[in-house]
Amino acid sequence: MLEHLLAWTGLFLGLCASGLIFLSFFLYLANKENYKNLVSLFNKKHIFPAPNSFNHMMGFLGVFPVSRFFIKLHKKKKIFLLSRNDPAYDFFEENNLKIEPWMRYVSVIWMTASVFYLICLLLALILSILRLN
């Protein structure tokens, strides 16, 4: 009975996580031009730090890390591989920009989906251990 419950819970969470990623794809499509404009505006004056120098060219698959980069940049939080005195931290003030709400939504959706996938993985590990005994 426990194995059955673990399997169905894992399946449900995996499907929910996949649905969330699918939803974030439509959010990205609806705001694709906005995203491209923001990336190109940033690229005109600044250089993306690694790995975002690669992620910003990946389209939908790179939108989560680049959104997290812009959210942290907007809040002036420390960004890995970007020194604290880098002029990029003033990007949003220089251009009189605010972070778009859809970027926050995509960020929350991807983090939630990641947690669901991790729980699903943990349930699969528990299930496989139970089956070995």
Side-chain angles (χ1 to χ4, degrees):
M1 181 66 184
L2 179 62
E3 292 176 355
H4 194 71
L5 181 65
L6 289 174
W8 280 105
T9 304
L11 177 64
F12 175 75
L13 288 176
L15 289 174
C16 284
S18 298
L20 287 172
I21 298 297
F22 193 66
L23 174 68
S24 74
F25 177 70
F26 288 110
L27 270 173
Y28 166 73
L29 282 181
N31 296 286
K32 188 176 178 179
E33 287 305 313
N34 181 314
Y35 174 75
K36 284 184 176 181
N37 290 339
L38 185 63
V39 167
S40 71
L41 185 61
F42 184 84
N43 267 336
K44 284 180 185 175
K45 293 183 180 179
H46 309 286
I47 297 172
F48 277 100
N52 290 313
S53 57
F54 174 70
N55 290 334
H56 81 275
M57 296 182 288
M58 290 180 52
F60 170 68
L61 295 177
V63 76
F64 170 68
V66 174
S67 293
R68 292 298 309 152
F69 169 78
F70 281 128
I71 289 169
K72 284 184 174 184
L73 197 64
H74 184 257
K75 292 180 179 180
K76 297 192 185 251
K77 289 188 174 183
K78 176 68 178 124
I79 298 171
F80 184 64
L81 296 177
L82 191 65
S83 67
R84 273 312 251 168
N85 57 358
D86 194 294
Y89 282 102
D90 297 325
F91 170 71
F92 282 92
E93 291 172 358
E94 287 174 355
N95 296 297
N96 199 20
L97 296 171
K98 293 190 184 229
I99 205 73
E100 295 289 327
W102 73 269
M103 291 180 121
R104 288 192 177 113
Y105 298 146
V106 164
S107 179
V108 169
I109 287 171
W110 274 69
M111 284 190 270
T112 304
S114 296
V115 168
F116 284 179
Y117 282 134
L118 286 173
I119 293 170
C120 186
L121 180 66
L122 181 64
L123 291 175
L125 181 63
I126 292 170
L127 186 60
S128 66
I129 290 171
L130 286 176
R131 293 210 173 190
L132 287 176
N133 294 333

